[in-house]
Amino acid sequence: TFIPFMPYSNTGTTVGYTNNYDAVCPYSGSTAPDVFYQYIAPVNMTVDVTLCTNSAYDTKLYVHANSYVYGAQIACNDDACGTPSYPSAYVSQLLGVALTAGNAYYFTVDGYGADAGTYTIDISMAAPPCDVICPGGGIPEGEPFCADNYVDHYNGGCNSAPPVFGAIAC
């Protein structure tokens, strides 16, 4: 299946397809049927690829660049998460996969062993890394690490209710 744009989401099944490919991540010897998606990156980008939304079997997920030979594999995952329909942590996800403009990428949905079933593949743009480096003479503010659902009670400024400000050194 050709992916026309990002972000991309598709629901499908590997049932009824053929076992054409396998990747070592870290297990090999899969005889499960597989489905692959092709995307040609228009610009350099980093993507997150997940089957964690709605997959119902023990999946494998891998990405090849420009060719479908084993040396072209750039990312692979066998176990990363569970889903409501398959709560065991045997569903696959790849975070931070770098794609280079002009190259063709093949995203393969496979199964561990002979497992097959329904899945939802979601490919989204990954958040760019945030490497903040304190300049010479600067003073780190000491704010706690931000994460999902973090409420900034440290120095959220006007975005906090009530507004919260911290002291800074000139």
Side-chain angles (χ1 to χ4, degrees):
T1 302
F2 182 74
I3 299 172
F5 53 83
M6 293 289 176
Y8 179 79
S9 182
N10 191 38
T11 300
T13 183
T14 58
V15 174
Y17 285 86
T18 305
N19 173 39
N20 292 311
Y21 306 104
D22 189 24
V24 178
C25 63
Y27 308 107
S28 64
S30 171
T31 59
D34 41 57
V35 174
F36 77 88
Y37 295 82
Q38 181 191 40
Y39 180 67
I40 299 173
V43 296
N44 292 344
M45 64 178 67
T46 303
V47 297
D48 293 335
V49 187
T50 185
L51 300 174
C52 297
T53 303
N54 195 31
S55 299
Y57 71 104
D58 189 350
T59 66
K60 280 177 72 173
L61 176 65
Y62 39 95
V63 182
H64 285 78
N66 293 319
S67 175
Y68 226 95
V69 296
Y70 287 106
Q73 178 181 312
I74 62 167
C76 187
N77 179 262
D78 185 29
D79 300 331
C81 55
T83 67
S85 57
Y86 192 76
S88 300
Y90 298 128
V91 179
S92 306
Q93 173 175 265
L94 294 165
L95 302 176
V97 179
L99 309 182
T100 303
N103 291 312
Y105 292 91
Y106 302 92
F107 299 86
T108 303
V109 178
D110 202 352
Y112 174 78
D115 283 4
T118 59
Y119 64 87
T120 298
I121 185 170
D122 293 304
I123 307 174
S124 60
M125 302 295 288
C130 182
D131 296 327
V132 178
I133 298 170
C134 195
I139 300 170
E141 66 180 355
E143 183 168 358
F145 177 74
C146 295
D148 288 344
N149 302 315
Y150 170 74
V151 177
D152 191 348
H153 296 290
Y154 189 80
N155 68 349
C158 298
N159 292 324
S160 297
V164 181
F165 298 92
I168 62 170
C170 294

